[in-house]
Amino acid sequence: MRRVIIMILSVLLGFQAYSLEVGRDSLTVSLITCAPGSEIYELCGHEAVRVRSARMDSVWNYGTFDFNEPNFVYRFVKGETDYMLSSYPFSLFMPEYVYAGREVTEQELNLTQEEAWRLLGLLREESKPENRKYRYNYVKDNCATRILDRLDQAAGSRVIYPDTICYGSFRDEMRSFHKDYPWYQFGIDLALGGGLDYDLRSREEMFVPVVMKEKVAGAHFADGRPLVRSTRILFEGRPGATLPPTPWYLTPLFFSCLAFLLAIGVCLLQGWKKRIYRWLYTLWFGICGLGGCVVLFLVVISQHEATSPNLLLVWLNPLQLLPAICIWFRRLRYGTAAIAWYDVVALSCMLLVWPFQQQSANPAFFPLIGTTLALAATYLLISSQNNYKVKNEKNSNIGTGRTRDNEFGGKRRSVKTKTGGRNRR
């Protein structure tokens, strides 16, 4: 929030570091790395550029955005989030991280004055109102990757970073920094498909500012100069800057396993009583169908490149809404049966294929897929007997006639004929 306020103030007050006339003072350029914080958008840390001279001390921040822009939430989900480069005095940058207890590290870059001025010129040009906005991408175009690109443009010699691979994919790297936020990672794994799971190059791992700091420390120019001249800690941070680990009994995996075990128990009860608990099918398949609408939106409409392809669409799709509705109407029972057959066949094939394809799954998904499979298979087994009961559903009797179970577990009505006999409907 403080970062947004600072950005707004810098716009309202008209402070733009690129407009400062600093002459040709000697420049010192540093990378500022802020350790992870407690908020979701702070879990990978933050990166900024500090430029100092005898007459200025400024920070250049690619991590600002305007939450008050029209349709911000919709555009964020759609992948049309615009961040911007803001410049303001460094004295306004530090208080946010000191207050949050987050460590702040400064790495002074070993740039020549020509390279430093070239970098400042690039930053000045990009921070102009007509140039400052950019289409944010969490892993490929963010506060860290933008700085790396500008360093490449400003450097007179190619920057060579350590060629070590610490993580297998974008998703693996994100999981490492989100380990204490399992519900957040569950949502990411649900929304983002196989585009996160290809093998990374060393440069791509630096989308995380904390990883970028480590690799920058070991980088050098092609002419032999080390990229970093010196490193110092501006603020050591305090314990508790991030949230503690989530207890195992509050994780998605625990709740998904619990849902699966409950579903197995209910399915056995349904088989024993020959009854279909329609409320359960409406609840479960309604949740799956609504989740499928979100996944379909992300795959088809969203501009997030990592949302497609997403194999989970086989499981979570709008078709799952059909059983939630059709289960209540006898004439629509074939719609329920059709989706039940689809789930049994498609989900079984998906589980068999999953180990041999690229997309990585959250462990909590498999018990949930098993829940869908169990409910669908139970429905088919009971309905195939054509003599199952629906809990709490009974049709009233007419006359004195005998009754028999109907297909839904209620009673068929008997009516008297004019001759005193009884004909069954």
Side-chain angles (χ1 to χ4, degrees):
M1 178 59 70
R2 183 181 179 90
R3 192 180 305 160
V4 177
I5 294 174
I6 290 174
M7 183 273 296
I8 295 174
L9 287 175
S10 70
V11 175
L12 294 177
L13 297 177
F15 178 86
Q16 294 292 339
Y18 69 82
S19 65
L20 295 175
E21 294 297 332
V22 297
R24 298 294 293 183
D25 291 343
S26 177
L27 295 181
T28 300
V29 179
S30 304
L31 297 180
I32 306 296
T33 305
C34 306
S38 60
E39 300 295 333
I40 287 176
Y41 56 85
E42 298 172 343
L43 297 183
C44 292
H46 182 57
E47 196 77 26
V49 178
R50 183 183 186 183
V51 181
R52 288 176 291 162
S53 72
R55 286 184 280 179
M56 76 166 182
D57 189 358
S58 63
V59 67
W60 303 79
N61 188 352
Y62 282 100
T64 56
F65 59 90
D66 185 2
F67 189 79
N68 294 318
E69 284 188 348
N71 303 315
F72 179 87
V73 175
Y74 171 77
R75 294 184 64 199
F76 178 81
V77 175
K78 192 179 178 183
E80 296 180 349
T81 308
D82 289 331
Y83 274 52
M84 63 185 72
L85 171 62
S86 297
S87 176
Y88 45 90
F90 188 73
S91 60
L92 296 178
F93 179 84
M94 284 295 296
E96 172 185 358
Y97 301 97
V98 173
Y99 176 79
R102 299 166 62 184
E103 181 186 85
V104 180
T105 304
E106 180 178 25
Q107 294 172 299
E108 183 180 324
L109 299 182
N110 191 22
L111 301 180
T112 66
Q113 285 301 299
E114 180 182 356
E115 291 169 334
W117 277 102
R118 189 182 301 128
L119 177 60
L120 180 59
L122 292 170
L123 295 172
R124 285 176 170 178
E125 182 65 26
E126 194 171 7
S127 66
K128 291 180 179 179
E130 64 271 23
N131 301 329
R132 65 191 310 177
K133 288 188 176 182
Y134 70 97
R135 183 57 46 84
Y136 178 81
N137 184 300
Y138 187 78
V139 297
K140 293 190 175 181
D141 201 351
N142 63 13
C143 65
T145 62
R146 284 253 155 180
I147 294 173
L148 291 173
D149 292 340
R150 298 303 164 265
L151 280 176
D152 286 343
Q153 291 178 266
S157 179
R158 185 169 67 91
V159 182
I160 302 173
Y161 297 97
D163 195 24
T164 55
I165 304 295
C166 301
Y167 308 92
S169 65
F170 284 124
R171 198 187 305 270
D172 289 340
E173 188 167 359
M174 293 163 70
R175 284 174 178 168
S176 176
F177 287 90
H178 301 166
K179 62 181 182 299
D180 293 339
Y181 293 70
W183 286 102
Y184 177 51
Q185 187 60 46
F186 178 86
I188 289 177
D189 291 338
L190 195 68
L192 303 183
L196 286 180
D197 296 303
Y198 65 84
D199 294 335
L200 294 184
R201 300 189 302 272
S202 177
R203 171 67 176 259
E204 291 175 308
E205 289 189 332
M206 289 193 284
F207 81 92
V208 174
V210 177
V211 176
M212 175 179 167
K213 179 186 74 171
E214 296 172 354
K215 295 201 174 190
V216 163
H220 62 275
F221 292 96
D223 59 15
R225 285 178 295 150
L227 177 59
V228 175
R229 179 181 291 127
S230 63
T231 300
R232 63 182 180 135
I233 297 178
L234 302 181
F235 179 68
E236 292 186 353
R238 296 188 301 270
T242 59
L243 295 182
T246 301
W248 63 269
Y249 52 84
L250 294 178
T251 62
L253 182 59
F254 173 79
F255 283 101
S256 63
C257 290
L258 182 62
F260 177 69
L261 293 176
L262 290 174
I264 293 297
V266 173
C267 288
L268 293 174
L269 185 61
Q270 289 182 127
W272 179 50
K273 292 191 174 184
K274 300 294 190 294
R275 289 178 177 175
I276 292 295
Y277 296 111
R278 294 185 294 181
W279 60 268
L280 176 61
Y281 283 76
T282 297
L283 175 64
W284 182 257
F285 286 93
I287 293 174
C288 291
L290 292 176
C293 291
V294 175
V295 174
L296 182 65
F297 174 87
L298 292 171
V299 170
V300 177
I301 298 178
S302 175
Q303 296 184 20
H304 286 291
E305 60 180 290
T307 58
S308 181
N310 191 342
L311 191 58
L312 292 177
L313 193 59
V314 175
W315 166 44
L316 294 178
N317 57 72
L319 292 177
Q320 304 297 343
L321 290 172
L322 289 178
I325 299 171
C326 295
I327 195 75
W328 293 94
F329 303 96
R330 182 172 181 274
R331 292 183 178 180
L332 300 179
R333 65 187 184 279
Y334 296 113
T336 306
I339 301 303
W341 274 113
Y342 165 82
D343 283 334
V344 170
V345 175
L347 298 186
S348 297
C349 293
M350 184 180 75
L351 292 175
L352 290 174
V353 169
W354 200 285
F356 306 101
Q357 52 83 52
Q358 176 175 281
Q359 184 174 340
S360 176
N362 192 291
F365 290 162
F366 298 109
L368 298 178
I369 295 172
T371 299
T372 304
L373 264 172
L375 291 173
T378 301
Y379 178 86
L380 293 174
L381 289 173
I382 296 178
S383 63
S384 66
Q385 300 174 19
N386 199 31
N387 187 29
Y388 64 92
K389 300 178 181 180
V390 179
K391 187 179 181 182
N392 296 329
E393 182 184 16
K394 292 184 179 180
N395 295 328
S396 60
N397 299 330
I398 298 180
T400 61
R402 293 167 295 177
T403 61
R404 67 179 178 87
D405 290 345
N406 70 8
E407 186 179 1
F408 289 93
K411 304 291 184 180
R412 286 195 180 275
R413 297 179 300 183
S414 299
V415 295
K416 290 184 177 181
T417 64
K418 291 182 180 180
T419 59
R422 290 192 293 269
N423 292 331
R424 291 184 178 178
R425 289 185 183 177

